[in-house]
């Protein structure tokens, strides 16, 4: 692409001219000059679909029959009178919109004066933009010595027609500044200007152009307008506008421009690089062009609706960037002005309907898209790959040491268990409480009670703040029933209550918090417990102290008992691991049968810093001795060689958890895994084609929920046809890309050179670069536009 930009830039910069529209007394071309004016300003009310006042202007016989045109006599033609009236006159035409310009009125008048000629073979599809560009002859001009390039000849032709003289050459200081700004986007330094002035005048211009084209800033400057067309952004564009990894595509565009990639290859790789034979990493990165689509990931958005909106955007962007056409009009109905139908639109959509969808979760099961994910690929990085391989070797070694230590601990497991059982008789024991009647004050979707008695909060949209309220009592099989006179106790000698904050794979970063980051903290402001019997009023329990496995600085677990808004228990920076806290009772408690605990866990920090999974337990026995879970105590009591495989495994797991050597190895393993995580390969969003294409349909009024006619991939009927393929072949994005850059395409070369011209001069030869249709502006220099378009085709070898 750089080749064509370079040559075009040099030619344009040499001229340093403005554009002028002039026609002199040349014959009027009905297809390229007259009909576009009628179509843009008149046919909405006087065309095929509607004939206001009984007048139709898209058919010569009906136009003449209306009496509004007198061939050869514009001064006697009612059409000329109406379009020449002042803007606010009650009879002015067009009645709605801007009046015709003086030049457009003059064109209509000259056409009528020449006999209102209307070629018999003319059709609306002969709009100038849809005719293949033909290389025109260079115009004859008087000041041949002034014209230093073909571009000068075309511009000078119209200047001479209106007796405008060329401007004098720019001063060297201005010229060097223009070159810098146009080619690399930054002004020259004083030293660079001085060097230019000191160089030999005969070669300094060409030498400076070559120098600037070789600078890295060239690709950066010319990438900017292209990235705007690509909708490039480092975030997805809606609501929270979260970041997404697509910078590799930006770098690809800059590199392609600096490497002089031909425009046809530049286009094909961005639309369908992944479908090229043996596609390289670079070619797959290029498909990020259509992954820059803005994506709505707000809570409540529907995945299929979001996907279809992205497909619509890809069709519309393709139309604007390569065809200069407002295809989005055809999403709901046939185009009102240009020869594109609704069926044309959905045939193009079928090309883009077969890629993997962006999803809210990796499993794409949730109805909410609050977290943005999508098809991506890892980027190669030799240094990181080597580091990662070395670390993975160390991980395998530490895992082997852990397994060897586990086998060693298993060898004398029974003897160890019997010794520990004696110690456990004096120590505290934990009794998991069965949770019932769980309620969340926030907008939690639902919850689950897991097999270990813990509560898992589910749902993809955690509330900012929350309070959990629930009742709990010892399970029947864990109740130590003791008869004392006429009372029966469900559990005796309860000295404390324990809260375990646990992890789960479904939580962000595995928890224990619910926030949408890997650093999943929680803040427990209040831990309140009451006792309730039957329907009687609940009685508060006095909690006198608290201990925790870890407390964040300035957020001690004791803060959960202070009833203060700015205190509470939190666990940063020790995220992504379980934690526990015990809250000691003022007096030992004997829980009677029929009594139950009422818990209230207040979490009011904000940013969804709430517990994602937790468990509550009653602690009995001597708190001064290390706590051993009740189910482990039970296993210790029956530790013999006759234990089942599962019982032995559970007991061994507990021993491994207590083993200092295993803990040290686990810490080493976690450190290695964290190092691997830190050098995970960068990724970029790409297009990935499905193995099995989706079935595509037209949508009633553009609503994806109302599919109508099934449709196959195809291209607009008004443009050139796709190459024929066998029934066994599949039309895909690669076929579309190759069709777009085909020499038979009348639009892509015109649209491309016009956009470059606009980038250099502020206004294109067609002032509406996104619309080359009937409603777009006519080219100020049609012959120059076609000459440049054919020049681009020649440079590409097409």
């Amino acid at each position: 692409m750089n080749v064509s930009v370079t040559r075009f830039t040099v030619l344009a910069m040499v001229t340093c001219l403005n554009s002028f529209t002039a026609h002199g007394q040349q014959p009027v071309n009905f297809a390229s000059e007259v009909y576009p004016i009628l179509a843009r300003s008149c046919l909405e009310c006087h065309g095929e679909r509607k004939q206001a006042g009984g007048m139709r202007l898209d058919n010569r016989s009906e136009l003449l029959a209306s009496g509004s045109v007198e061939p050869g006599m514009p001064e006697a033609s009612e059409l000329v009178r109406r379009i020449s009236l002042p803007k606010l006159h009650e009879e002015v035409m067009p009645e709605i919109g801007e009046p015709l310009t003086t030049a457009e009125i003059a064109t209509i008048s000259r056409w009528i004066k020449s006999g209102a000629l209307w070629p018999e073979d003319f059709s609306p599809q002969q709009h100038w933009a849809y005719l293949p560009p033909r290389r025109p002859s260079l115009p004859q001009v008087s000041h041949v010595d002034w014209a230093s390039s073909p571009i000068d000849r075309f511009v000078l032709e119209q200047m001479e027609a209106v007796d405008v003289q060329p401007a004098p050459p720019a001063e060297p200081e201005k010229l060097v500044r223009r070159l810098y700004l146009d080619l690399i986007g930054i002004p020259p330094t004083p030293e660079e200007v001085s060097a230019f002035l000191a160089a030999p005048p005969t070669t300094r211009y060409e030498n400076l152009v070559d120098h600037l084209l070789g600078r890295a800033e060239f690709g950066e400057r010319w990438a900017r307008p292209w990235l705007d067309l690509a909708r490039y952004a480092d975030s997805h564009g809606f609501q929270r506008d979260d970041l997404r990894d697509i910078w590799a595509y930006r770098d690809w565009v800059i590199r392609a421009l600096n490497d002089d990639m031909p425009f046809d290859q530049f286009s094909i790789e961005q639309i369908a690089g992944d479908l090229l034979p043996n596609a390289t990493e670079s070619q797959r990165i290029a498909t990020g062009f259509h992954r820059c689509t803005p994506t709505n990931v707000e809570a409540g958005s529907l995945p299929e609706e979001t996907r279809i909106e992205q497909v619509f955007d890809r069709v519309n962007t393709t139309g604007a960037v390569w065809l200069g056409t407002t295809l989005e009009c055809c999403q709901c109905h046939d185009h009102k002005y240009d020869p594109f139908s609704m069926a044309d639109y959905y045939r193009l959509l079928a090309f883009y309907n077969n890629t993997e969808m962006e999803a809210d979760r990796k499993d794409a099961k949730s109805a909410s898209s609050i977290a943005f994910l999508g098809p991506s690929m890892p980027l190669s990085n030799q240094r990181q790959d080597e580091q990662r391989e070395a670390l993975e070797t160390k991980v395998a070694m530490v895992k082997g040491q852990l397994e060897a230590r586990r086998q060693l601990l298993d060898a004398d497991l029974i003897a160890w268990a019997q010794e520990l059982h004696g110690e456990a008789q004096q120590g505290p024991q934990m009794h998991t409480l069965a949770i019932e009647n769980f309620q969340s004050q926030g907008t939690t979707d639902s919850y689950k009670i897991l097999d270990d008695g813990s509560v898992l909060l589910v749902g993809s949209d955690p509330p900012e703040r929350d309070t959990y309220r629930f009742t709990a009592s010892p399970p029947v099989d864990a109740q130590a029933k003791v008869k004392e006179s006429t009372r029966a106790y469900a559990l005796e000698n309860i000295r404390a209550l324990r809260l375990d904050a646990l992890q789960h794979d479904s939580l962000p970063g595995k928890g224990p918090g619910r926030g949408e980051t890997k650093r999943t903290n929680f803040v427990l402001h209040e831990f309140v417990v009451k006792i309730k019997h039957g329907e009687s009023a609940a009685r508060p329990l006095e909690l006198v102290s608290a201990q925790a496995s870890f407390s964040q600085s300035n957020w001690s677990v004791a803060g959960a008992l202070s009833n203060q808004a700015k205190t509470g228990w939190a666990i940063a920076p020790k995220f992504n691991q379980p934690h526990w806290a015990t809250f000691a009772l003022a007096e030992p408690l004997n829980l009677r049968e029929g009594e139950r605990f009422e818990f209230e866990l207040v979490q009011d920090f904000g940013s969804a810093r709430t517990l994602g999974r937790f468990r509550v337990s009653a602690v009995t026995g001597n708190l001064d001795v290390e706590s051993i879970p009740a189910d482990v105590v039970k296993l210790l009591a029956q530790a013999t060689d006759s234990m089942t495989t599962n019982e032995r495994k559970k007991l061994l797991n507990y021993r491994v958890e207590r083993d200092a050597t295993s803990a040290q190895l686990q810490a080493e393993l976690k450190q290695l895994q964290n190092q691997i995580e830190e050098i995970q390969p960068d990724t970029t969003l790409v297009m990935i084609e499905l193995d099995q294409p989706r079935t595509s349909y037209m949508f009633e009024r553009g609503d994806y929920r109302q599919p109508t006619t099934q449709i196959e991939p195809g291209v607009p009927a008004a443009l050139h046809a796709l190459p024929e393929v066998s029934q066994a072949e599949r039309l895909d994005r690669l076929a579309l890309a190759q069709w777009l850059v085909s020499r038979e395409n009348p639009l892509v070369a015109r649209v491309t050179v016009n956009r470059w011209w606009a980038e250099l001069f502020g206004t294109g030869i067609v002032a509406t670069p996104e619309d080359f249709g009937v409603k777009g502006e006519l080219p100020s220099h049609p012959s120059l536009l076609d000459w440049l378009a054919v020049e681009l085709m020649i440079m590409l070898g097409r």
Side-chain angles (χ1 to χ4, degrees), residues 268-297:
I268 289 172
E269 291 194 10
Q270 290 180 89
I271 295 174
D274 59 310
L275 301 179
L276 290 169
N278 302 314
T280 64
E281 179 182 74
S282 174
Q283 290 169 335
R284 295 183 65 197
I285 290 172
T287 64
F289 177 91
H290 273 316
R291 291 304 318 282
C292 291
T293 305
T295 305
N296 188 354
V297 296

Short mmCIF file of all heavy atoms in Angstrom, two decimals, residues 268-297:
data_model
loop_
_atom_site.label_atom_id
_atom_site.label_comp_id
_atom_site.label_asym_id
_atom_site.label_seq_id
_atom_site.Cartn_x
_atom_site.Cartn_y
_atom_site.Cartn_z
N ILE A 268 -6.80 -7.85 1.61
CA ILE A 268 -7.14 -9.27 1.75
C ILE A 268 -6.76 -9.79 3.13
O ILE A 268 -7.53 -10.51 3.77
CB ILE A 268 -6.45 -10.09 0.64
CG1 ILE A 268 -7.10 -9.79 -0.72
CG2 ILE A 268 -6.52 -11.58 0.95
CD1 ILE A 268 -6.37 -10.39 -1.90
N GLU A 269 -5.57 -9.42 3.62
CA GLU A 269 -5.13 -9.96 4.90
C GLU A 269 -6.00 -9.44 6.04
O GLU A 269 -6.23 -10.16 7.02
CB GLU A 269 -3.66 -9.60 5.14
CG GLU A 269 -2.73 -10.35 4.20
CD GLU A 269 -1.27 -10.27 4.61
OE1 GLU A 269 -0.98 -9.80 5.73
OE2 GLU A 269 -0.41 -10.71 3.82
N GLN A 270 -6.50 -8.22 5.95
CA GLN A 270 -7.33 -7.70 7.02
C GLN A 270 -8.72 -8.31 7.03
O GLN A 270 -9.32 -8.52 8.08
CB GLN A 270 -7.44 -6.17 6.91
CG GLN A 270 -6.13 -5.48 7.26
CD GLN A 270 -6.23 -3.98 7.16
OE1 GLN A 270 -6.57 -3.31 8.13
NE2 GLN A 270 -5.94 -3.45 5.99
N ILE A 271 -9.25 -8.62 5.87
CA ILE A 271 -10.59 -9.19 5.81
C ILE A 271 -10.55 -10.71 6.01
O ILE A 271 -11.44 -11.27 6.67
CB ILE A 271 -11.25 -8.85 4.45
CG1 ILE A 271 -11.48 -7.34 4.36
CG2 ILE A 271 -12.58 -9.59 4.29
CD1 ILE A 271 -11.98 -6.88 3.02
N ALA A 272 -9.51 -11.36 5.50
CA ALA A 272 -9.52 -12.83 5.53
C ALA A 272 -8.13 -13.42 5.63
O ALA A 272 -7.88 -14.51 5.09
CB ALA A 272 -10.21 -13.36 4.28
N GLY A 273 -7.23 -12.78 6.36
CA GLY A 273 -5.87 -13.32 6.48
C GLY A 273 -5.84 -14.71 7.07
O GLY A 273 -4.98 -15.53 6.74
N ASP A 274 -6.79 -15.00 7.98
CA ASP A 274 -6.82 -16.32 8.62
C ASP A 274 -7.19 -17.43 7.65
O ASP A 274 -6.95 -18.61 7.94
CB ASP A 274 -7.82 -16.30 9.78
CG ASP A 274 -9.22 -15.93 9.34
OD1 ASP A 274 -9.37 -14.91 8.63
OD2 ASP A 274 -10.17 -16.65 9.70
N LEU A 275 -7.80 -17.08 6.51
CA LEU A 275 -8.25 -18.09 5.55
C LEU A 275 -7.27 -18.30 4.41
O LEU A 275 -7.51 -19.15 3.55
CB LEU A 275 -9.62 -17.67 4.98
CG LEU A 275 -10.74 -17.51 6.00
CD1 LEU A 275 -12.03 -17.08 5.32
CD2 LEU A 275 -10.96 -18.79 6.79
N LEU A 276 -6.17 -17.55 4.40
CA LEU A 276 -5.14 -17.77 3.39
C LEU A 276 -4.46 -19.12 3.63
O LEU A 276 -4.35 -19.57 4.77
CB LEU A 276 -4.11 -16.65 3.44
CG LEU A 276 -4.59 -15.27 2.96
CD1 LEU A 276 -3.57 -14.21 3.33
CD2 LEU A 276 -4.83 -15.29 1.46
N PRO A 277 -4.00 -19.78 2.58
CA PRO A 277 -3.31 -21.07 2.77
C PRO A 277 -2.09 -20.91 3.68
O PRO A 277 -1.29 -19.99 3.49
CB PRO A 277 -2.90 -21.45 1.34
CG PRO A 277 -3.84 -20.70 0.45
CD PRO A 277 -4.13 -19.42 1.15
N ASN A 278 -1.99 -21.79 4.67
CA ASN A 278 -0.87 -21.75 5.63
C ASN A 278 -0.68 -20.34 6.21
O ASN A 278 0.41 -19.78 6.21
CB ASN A 278 0.42 -22.21 4.95
CG ASN A 278 0.31 -23.61 4.37
OD1 ASN A 278 -0.18 -24.53 5.03
ND2 ASN A 278 0.74 -23.77 3.13
N ALA A 279 -1.78 -19.78 6.68
CA ALA A 279 -1.78 -18.41 7.19
C ALA A 279 -0.71 -18.22 8.26
O ALA A 279 -0.59 -19.02 9.19
CB ALA A 279 -3.15 -18.05 7.75
N THR A 280 0.06 -17.15 8.13
CA THR A 280 1.10 -16.84 9.11
C THR A 280 0.48 -16.12 10.31
O THR A 280 -0.67 -15.68 10.28
CB THR A 280 2.17 -15.95 8.49
OG1 THR A 280 1.57 -14.68 8.13
CG2 THR A 280 2.76 -16.59 7.24
N GLU A 281 1.28 -16.00 11.37
CA GLU A 281 0.82 -15.25 12.53
C GLU A 281 0.47 -13.82 12.15
O GLU A 281 -0.54 -13.27 12.58
CB GLU A 281 1.89 -15.26 13.62
CG GLU A 281 1.49 -14.49 14.88
CD GLU A 281 2.59 -14.47 15.93
OE1 GLU A 281 3.59 -13.73 15.71
OE2 GLU A 281 2.48 -15.18 16.94
N SER A 282 1.30 -13.20 11.31
CA SER A 282 1.06 -11.83 10.88
C SER A 282 -0.26 -11.70 10.13
O SER A 282 -1.03 -10.75 10.34
CB SER A 282 2.22 -11.34 10.00
OG SER A 282 1.94 -10.06 9.47
N GLN A 283 -0.55 -12.65 9.25
CA GLN A 283 -1.80 -12.60 8.48
C GLN A 283 -3.02 -12.78 9.38
O GLN A 283 -4.08 -12.19 9.13
CB GLN A 283 -1.76 -13.66 7.38
CG GLN A 283 -0.78 -13.32 6.28
CD GLN A 283 -0.52 -14.46 5.33
OE1 GLN A 283 -0.67 -15.65 5.69
NE2 GLN A 283 -0.11 -14.16 4.11
N ARG A 284 -2.88 -13.59 10.42
CA ARG A 284 -4.00 -13.75 11.35
C ARG A 284 -4.18 -12.51 12.21
O ARG A 284 -5.30 -12.10 12.51
CB ARG A 284 -3.76 -14.98 12.22
CG ARG A 284 -3.76 -16.30 11.45
CD ARG A 284 -3.59 -17.47 12.40
NE ARG A 284 -4.73 -17.58 13.28
CZ ARG A 284 -4.74 -18.27 14.41
NH1 ARG A 284 -3.63 -18.90 14.81
NH2 ARG A 284 -5.81 -18.33 15.17
N ILE A 285 -3.08 -11.89 12.60
CA ILE A 285 -3.17 -10.64 13.36
C ILE A 285 -3.92 -9.59 12.56
O ILE A 285 -4.70 -8.79 13.11
CB ILE A 285 -1.76 -10.14 13.73
CG1 ILE A 285 -1.13 -11.06 14.78
CG2 ILE A 285 -1.81 -8.71 14.26
CD1 ILE A 285 0.34 -10.75 15.06
N ALA A 286 -3.69 -9.57 11.24
CA ALA A 286 -4.32 -8.55 10.38
C ALA A 286 -5.84 -8.58 10.47
O ALA A 286 -6.50 -7.55 10.28
CB ALA A 286 -3.88 -8.76 8.94
N THR A 287 -6.43 -9.73 10.77
CA THR A 287 -7.89 -9.81 10.83
C THR A 287 -8.45 -9.07 12.02
O THR A 287 -9.67 -8.99 12.19
CB THR A 287 -8.35 -11.28 10.87
OG1 THR A 287 -7.90 -11.90 12.09
CG2 THR A 287 -7.83 -12.06 9.68
N GLY A 288 -7.57 -8.50 12.85
CA GLY A 288 -8.06 -7.64 13.92
C GLY A 288 -8.84 -6.46 13.39
O GLY A 288 -9.57 -5.81 14.15
N PHE A 289 -8.72 -6.15 12.09
CA PHE A 289 -9.51 -5.06 11.49
C PHE A 289 -10.98 -5.20 11.86
O PHE A 289 -11.63 -4.24 12.28
CB PHE A 289 -9.35 -5.05 9.97
CG PHE A 289 -10.20 -4.02 9.28
CD1 PHE A 289 -9.69 -2.74 9.05
CD2 PHE A 289 -11.49 -4.29 8.86
CE1 PHE A 289 -10.46 -1.77 8.44
CE2 PHE A 289 -12.27 -3.34 8.25
CZ PHE A 289 -11.76 -2.07 8.03
N HIS A 290 -11.53 -6.39 11.70
CA HIS A 290 -12.95 -6.60 11.99
C HIS A 290 -13.19 -7.08 13.41
O HIS A 290 -14.32 -7.42 13.76
CB HIS A 290 -13.57 -7.57 10.98
CG HIS A 290 -14.07 -6.88 9.75
ND1 HIS A 290 -14.78 -5.71 9.79
CD2 HIS A 290 -13.97 -7.22 8.43
CE1 HIS A 290 -15.11 -5.33 8.56
NE2 HIS A 290 -14.63 -6.24 7.72
N ARG A 291 -12.14 -7.12 14.26
CA ARG A 291 -12.34 -7.38 15.67
C ARG A 291 -12.27 -6.10 16.49
O ARG A 291 -12.37 -6.13 17.70
CB ARG A 291 -11.31 -8.38 16.19
CG ARG A 291 -11.49 -9.79 15.64
CD ARG A 291 -12.88 -10.37 15.90
NE ARG A 291 -13.35 -10.09 17.25
CZ ARG A 291 -12.94 -10.77 18.33
NH1 ARG A 291 -12.09 -11.75 18.21
NH2 ARG A 291 -13.41 -10.44 19.51
N CYS A 292 -12.09 -4.95 15.79
CA CYS A 292 -12.15 -3.65 16.45
C CYS A 292 -13.59 -3.19 16.64
O CYS A 292 -13.84 -2.09 17.11
CB CYS A 292 -11.39 -2.60 15.63
SG CYS A 292 -9.60 -2.83 15.61
N THR A 293 -14.53 -4.01 16.24
CA THR A 293 -15.94 -3.66 16.34
C THR A 293 -16.31 -3.26 17.76
O THR A 293 -16.01 -3.99 18.71
CB THR A 293 -16.81 -4.87 15.92
OG1 THR A 293 -16.41 -5.29 14.62
CG2 THR A 293 -18.27 -4.52 15.92
N PRO A 294 -16.96 -2.12 17.96
CA PRO A 294 -17.47 -1.79 19.30
C PRO A 294 -18.41 -2.90 19.79
O PRO A 294 -19.21 -3.43 19.01
CB PRO A 294 -18.23 -0.48 19.09
CG PRO A 294 -17.63 0.11 17.86
CD PRO A 294 -17.26 -1.05 16.99
N THR A 295 -18.29 -3.26 21.06
CA THR A 295 -19.02 -4.40 21.59
C THR A 295 -19.73 -4.02 22.88
O THR A 295 -19.10 -3.55 23.83
CB THR A 295 -18.06 -5.57 21.88
OG1 THR A 295 -17.34 -5.87 20.68
CG2 THR A 295 -18.82 -6.81 22.32
N ASN A 296 -21.03 -4.22 22.92
CA ASN A 296 -21.82 -3.89 24.10
C ASN A 296 -21.75 -5.05 25.09
O ASN A 296 -22.28 -6.12 24.84
CB ASN A 296 -23.28 -3.64 23.70
CG ASN A 296 -24.10 -3.12 24.85
OD1 ASN A 296 -23.64 -3.04 25.99
ND2 ASN A 296 -25.34 -2.75 24.57
N VAL A 297 -21.09 -4.82 26.22
CA VAL A 297 -20.97 -5.88 27.22
C VAL A 297 -21.62 -5.47 28.54
O VAL A 297 -21.26 -5.95 29.60
CB VAL A 297 -19.49 -6.26 27.46
CG1 VAL A 297 -18.89 -6.85 26.22
CG2 VAL A 297 -18.70 -5.05 27.91
#
